[in-house]
Amino acid sequence: MATTRIRQMGNSLGVLIPAPIVKQLGLEKNQDINVEFLTDSSQLIFSTEEKKEALPISLDLLHQVVESAVEKALQERDNRINDKG
């Protein structure tokens, strides 16, 4: 864990990421990162795109993803059946 300070950056606030963490994560200038606020624990979570899938997702989103995958699999099955018939 590292401590850093929130700073004014134009009309926004910013957090400087300490150099050892930048090096450890392989972060680069102008790289996009994800920011998530966990209300139950008052935590800000920063993650890179590569780790995005490690974040918990809502049940609604999980349902949508599963439903989409099932629909795709059923369509592919139907296409295979129709190709044989």
Side-chain angles (χ1 to χ4, degrees), residues 14 27 30 32 56-57 60 68 79:
L27 300 176
N30 296 321
D32 291 331
I57 62 173
D60 288 338
S68 176
N79 290 342

PDB file of all heavy atoms in Angstrom, residues 14 27 30 32 56-57 60 68 79:
ATOM      1  N   GLY A  14      -7.028  15.077  -9.071  1.00  0.00           N
ATOM      2  CA  GLY A  14      -6.243  13.963  -9.586  1.00  0.00           C
ATOM      3  C   GLY A  14      -5.441  13.294  -8.496  1.00  0.00           C
ATOM      4  O   GLY A  14      -5.198  13.878  -7.437  1.00  0.00           O
ATOM      5  N   LEU A  27       2.451   0.700 -16.126  1.00  0.00           N
ATOM      6  CA  LEU A  27       1.602   1.775 -16.628  1.00  0.00           C
ATOM      7  C   LEU A  27       2.402   2.717 -17.520  1.00  0.00           C
ATOM      8  O   LEU A  27       3.608   2.869 -17.342  1.00  0.00           O
ATOM      9  CB  LEU A  27       0.988   2.562 -15.467  1.00  0.00           C
ATOM     10  CG  LEU A  27       0.101   1.768 -14.515  1.00  0.00           C
ATOM     11  CD1 LEU A  27      -0.348   2.649 -13.358  1.00  0.00           C
ATOM     12  CD2 LEU A  27      -1.085   1.182 -15.248  1.00  0.00           C
ATOM     13  N   ASN A  30      -0.667   8.514 -20.547  1.00  0.00           N
ATOM     14  CA  ASN A  30      -1.898   8.572 -21.340  1.00  0.00           C
ATOM     15  C   ASN A  30      -2.626   7.238 -21.478  1.00  0.00           C
ATOM     16  O   ASN A  30      -3.526   7.102 -22.292  1.00  0.00           O
ATOM     17  CB  ASN A  30      -1.648   9.166 -22.725  1.00  0.00           C
ATOM     18  CG  ASN A  30      -1.203  10.602 -22.646  1.00  0.00           C
ATOM     19  OD1 ASN A  30      -1.689  11.376 -21.840  1.00  0.00           O
ATOM     20  ND2 ASN A  30      -0.241  10.956 -23.484  1.00  0.00           N
ATOM     21  N   ASP A  32      -5.316   4.491 -20.575  1.00  0.00           N
ATOM     22  CA  ASP A  32      -6.626   4.496 -19.942  1.00  0.00           C
ATOM     23  C   ASP A  32      -6.651   3.486 -18.796  1.00  0.00           C
ATOM     24  O   ASP A  32      -6.073   2.401 -18.901  1.00  0.00           O
ATOM     25  CB  ASP A  32      -7.727   4.122 -20.942  1.00  0.00           C
ATOM     26  CG  ASP A  32      -7.949   5.194 -21.985  1.00  0.00           C
ATOM     27  OD1 ASP A  32      -7.713   6.378 -21.676  1.00  0.00           O
ATOM     28  OD2 ASP A  32      -8.366   4.852 -23.096  1.00  0.00           O
ATOM     29  N   PRO A  56     -15.713  -7.439 -10.029  1.00  0.00           N
ATOM     30  CA  PRO A  56     -17.049  -8.029  -9.928  1.00  0.00           C
ATOM     31  C   PRO A  56     -18.017  -7.285 -10.848  1.00  0.00           C
ATOM     32  O   PRO A  56     -17.876  -6.097 -11.081  1.00  0.00           O
ATOM     33  CB  PRO A  56     -17.419  -7.822  -8.467  1.00  0.00           C
ATOM     34  CG  PRO A  56     -16.519  -6.769  -7.949  1.00  0.00           C
ATOM     35  CD  PRO A  56     -15.282  -6.789  -8.809  1.00  0.00           C
ATOM     36  N   ILE A  57     -19.010  -8.014 -11.395  1.00  0.00           N
ATOM     37  CA  ILE A  57     -19.997  -7.383 -12.250  1.00  0.00           C
ATOM     38  C   ILE A  57     -21.375  -7.534 -11.611  1.00  0.00           C
ATOM     39  O   ILE A  57     -21.589  -8.409 -10.782  1.00  0.00           O
ATOM     40  CB  ILE A  57     -20.000  -7.966 -13.679  1.00  0.00           C
ATOM     41  CG1 ILE A  57     -20.363  -9.444 -13.669  1.00  0.00           C
ATOM     42  CG2 ILE A  57     -18.678  -7.736 -14.366  1.00  0.00           C
ATOM     43  CD1 ILE A  57     -20.555 -10.034 -15.039  1.00  0.00           C
ATOM     44  N   ASP A  60     -27.308  -8.055 -13.165  1.00  0.00           N
ATOM     45  CA  ASP A  60     -27.976  -7.702 -14.419  1.00  0.00           C
ATOM     46  C   ASP A  60     -27.030  -7.871 -15.602  1.00  0.00           C
ATOM     47  O   ASP A  60     -27.409  -8.427 -16.635  1.00  0.00           O
ATOM     48  CB  ASP A  60     -28.495  -6.259 -14.377  1.00  0.00           C
ATOM     49  CG  ASP A  60     -29.701  -6.101 -13.468  1.00  0.00           C
ATOM     50  OD1 ASP A  60     -30.390  -7.104 -13.203  1.00  0.00           O
ATOM     51  OD2 ASP A  60     -29.951  -4.966 -13.028  1.00  0.00           O
ATOM     52  N   SER A  68     -26.921 -13.573 -23.835  1.00  0.00           N
ATOM     53  CA  SER A  68     -26.352 -13.359 -25.160  1.00  0.00           C
ATOM     54  C   SER A  68     -25.569 -14.585 -25.626  1.00  0.00           C
ATOM     55  O   SER A  68     -25.679 -15.004 -26.781  1.00  0.00           O
ATOM     56  CB  SER A  68     -25.454 -12.127 -25.139  1.00  0.00           C
ATOM     57  OG  SER A  68     -24.816 -11.958 -26.372  1.00  0.00           O
ATOM     58  N   ASN A  79     -28.122 -23.282 -37.023  1.00  0.00           N
ATOM     59  CA  ASN A  79     -27.456 -23.174 -38.332  1.00  0.00           C
ATOM     60  C   ASN A  79     -26.827 -24.504 -38.745  1.00  0.00           C
ATOM     61  O   ASN A  79     -26.910 -24.894 -39.908  1.00  0.00           O
ATOM     62  CB  ASN A  79     -26.387 -22.080 -38.317  1.00  0.00           C
ATOM     63  CG  ASN A  79     -26.997 -20.678 -38.231  1.00  0.00           C
ATOM     64  OD1 ASN A  79     -28.183 -20.482 -38.517  1.00  0.00           O
ATOM     65  ND2 ASN A  79     -26.188 -19.719 -37.825  1.00  0.00           N
TER      66      ASN A  79
END
